[in-house]
Amino acid sequence: MQYIKEIREGDRVIEHYLCKRKETRESKAGKTFYSLKLQDKTGMIDAKVWDIHTDIGAFEEGDIVKIDGNVVLYQNELQMKVLKLRKSREGECTPSELIPSSTRDLNEMFDELVALIHSVENPYVKTLLENIMIKNEAQAKALKTHSAALHMHHGYMGGLIEHTLSVADICVTLGRKYKYVNRDILIAGALLHDIGKIYELAPMPSSEYTDDGQMLGHIIIGIEMIAEEVAKIPNFPRELSSLIKHCIISHHGEYEYGSPKLPSTAEAFILHFADNIDAKLTSFAEIIEKDATPGLWTNFQKALGRYIRRPSEF
């Protein structure tokens, strides 16, 4: 198989990919064309079907398709000019090859999460985390396999648990350095800050939000999940519940970034920065690995509002 990460300018590619996104657009001349995002487990590439003719079969977003196309460089990014396209037939390719996945073992990451939960000393917090993330088998399975985003950082199978563990690790490290930090509340905030994404995002390989994801978002969904489980635990302290919820509500940090409240506790403040650090630096790594611009600097990254410098070799 010719993986997307191996594709170079000038290549002729005949291969099976997942159509992650399909948009029907119109050129300035009034001609209809398709703008696509093609994906395999190594990455994603922009593609265009400029001529919709008999060699372009019927297909929809989310289908596995066989394409025949040429690779060009457009605005310093690789792009596929699709000449032929049809839906792949059963048995022609291996679907698992087309779904990006964490390089880490999913079961090992889940074991790491379970161990972190078991390190929590407060019995109420430990029970809350166990009920949401371990004992609820459907949620535990979703947590292992979900992505953390559609198009940004950790947008692959296992991305959610990988991001969650990374944020928790940063939080624990920072929490040891400063006063007035409650480790158990900090761990609860780190592990639950994105838990609502298992219901906000449709399961992979879909590239869509669910209805609740569109209408509520993962912060509100997460708060509802916590409130529902807290209500089942006898005598769960109201103040403790509010402190954990505050971490989730404020983890985006600023109102303009969709945060309903600003971080007002040490734990919430640490969580916000840990989440931002992991998201940004993971995005840096993904950009460096995928961007085809020659030289030390990548193409301008609209999502981050800057160019990214690749590491030098000394």
Side-chain angles (χ1 to χ4, degrees):
M1 178 168 182
Q2 186 168 7
Y3 293 115
I4 287 174
K5 72 173 184 179
E6 299 168 346
I7 289 174
R8 298 292 180 266
E9 181 185 6
D11 285 355
R12 177 72 177 266
V13 178
I14 302 175
E15 192 53 88
H16 299 270
Y17 297 112
L18 174 69
C19 179
K20 184 75 170 178
R21 193 190 312 168
K22 175 188 178 184
E23 296 177 355
T24 302
R25 297 181 182 177
E26 191 172 282
S27 69
K28 292 180 180 179
K31 187 175 182 180
T32 299
F33 69 94
Y34 296 146
S35 179
L36 313 177
K37 289 288 186 182
L38 301 177
Q39 172 185 284
D40 67 16
K41 70 177 184 180
T42 69
M44 196 177 299
I45 189 171
D46 183 56
K48 295 290 188 289
V49 182
W50 296 113
D51 296 311
I52 303 174
H53 46 69
T54 55
D55 285 332
I56 306 298
F59 71 103
E60 300 297 334
E61 187 171 284
D63 286 340
I64 296 174
V65 295
K66 183 177 183 180
I67 65 97
D68 180 351
N70 295 320
V71 180
V72 298
L73 196 63
Y74 176 71
Q75 295 183 342
N76 289 321
E77 292 188 1
L78 294 176
Q79 186 180 95
M80 187 88 70
K81 181 181 178 182
V82 178
L83 307 174
K84 298 180 181 180
L85 184 151
R86 65 166 171 80
K87 286 180 66 173
S88 301
R89 303 184 184 99
E90 187 174 352
E92 281 190 314
C93 62
T94 305
S96 62
E97 290 288 298
L98 308 178
I99 302 175
S101 182
S102 172
T103 56
R104 297 193 59 191
D105 183 89
L106 302 185
N107 291 322
E108 287 181 3
M109 285 194 288
F110 189 75
D111 290 342
E112 186 178 327
L113 180 138
V114 170
L116 188 58
I117 291 174
H118 289 166
S119 75
V120 171
E121 295 181 355
N122 184 289
Y124 294 106
V125 177
K126 182 183 288 188
T127 300
L128 175 67
L129 294 173
E130 288 176 340
N131 288 353
I132 292 176
M133 309 184 90
I134 302 175
K135 294 182 179 179
N136 187 314
E137 294 183 2
Q139 290 178 177
K141 180 181 179 180
L143 180 61
K144 282 197 291 186
T145 57
H146 249 66
S147 67
L150 295 184
H151 308 299
M152 294 295 289
H153 66 94
H154 298 92
Y156 45 78
M157 183 178 291
L160 178 57
I161 191 169
E162 182 181 306
H163 172 60
T164 298
L165 288 172
S166 184
V167 169
D169 184 49
I170 296 169
C171 283
V172 170
T173 299
L174 291 176
R176 287 196 294 261
K177 293 179 63 66
Y178 302 102
K179 297 180 180 179
Y180 313 118
V181 177
N182 183 300
R183 181 181 184 272
D184 289 348
I185 292 174
L186 184 56
I187 289 176
L191 296 186
L192 295 173
H193 80 282
D194 275 351
I195 191 64
K197 288 188 174 182
I198 65 176
Y199 296 114
E200 179 187 43
L201 305 176
M204 292 198 70
S206 171
S207 57
E208 297 181 347
Y209 288 95
T210 63
D211 280 352
D212 279 353
Q214 291 282 18
M215 294 187 289
L216 303 176
H218 71 278
I219 291 177
I220 298 302
I221 295 171
I223 292 299
E224 289 183 340
M225 293 171 68
I226 293 168
E228 182 179 340
E229 291 303 327
V230 162
K232 299 176 185 177
I233 302 172
N235 303 315
F236 196 105
R238 181 177 180 82
E239 181 182 5
L240 179 59
S241 172
S242 295
L243 287 167
I244 294 172
K245 289 177 183 176
H246 176 69
C247 289
I248 281 70
I249 288 174
S250 65
H251 80 268
H252 283 186
E254 302 290 344
Y255 295 132
E256 57 263 40
Y257 298 139
S259 187
K261 300 292 291 184
L262 300 180
S264 301
T265 65
E267 297 83 14
F269 208 67
I270 289 172
L271 173 60
H272 161 59
F273 283 105
D275 179 46
N276 198 35
I277 287 170
D278 188 60
K280 291 294 192 299
L281 289 180
T282 300
S283 294
F284 269 47
E286 292 175 357
I287 290 165
I288 289 169
E289 291 168 2
K290 296 176 183 177
D291 188 272
T293 310
L296 278 175
W297 291 88
T298 70
N299 191 23
F300 186 78
Q301 302 299 315
K302 294 180 182 179
L304 296 174
R306 71 202 74 192
Y307 296 91
I308 303 299
R309 190 183 189 276
R310 296 183 176 88
S312 300
E313 295 183 6
F314 296 99

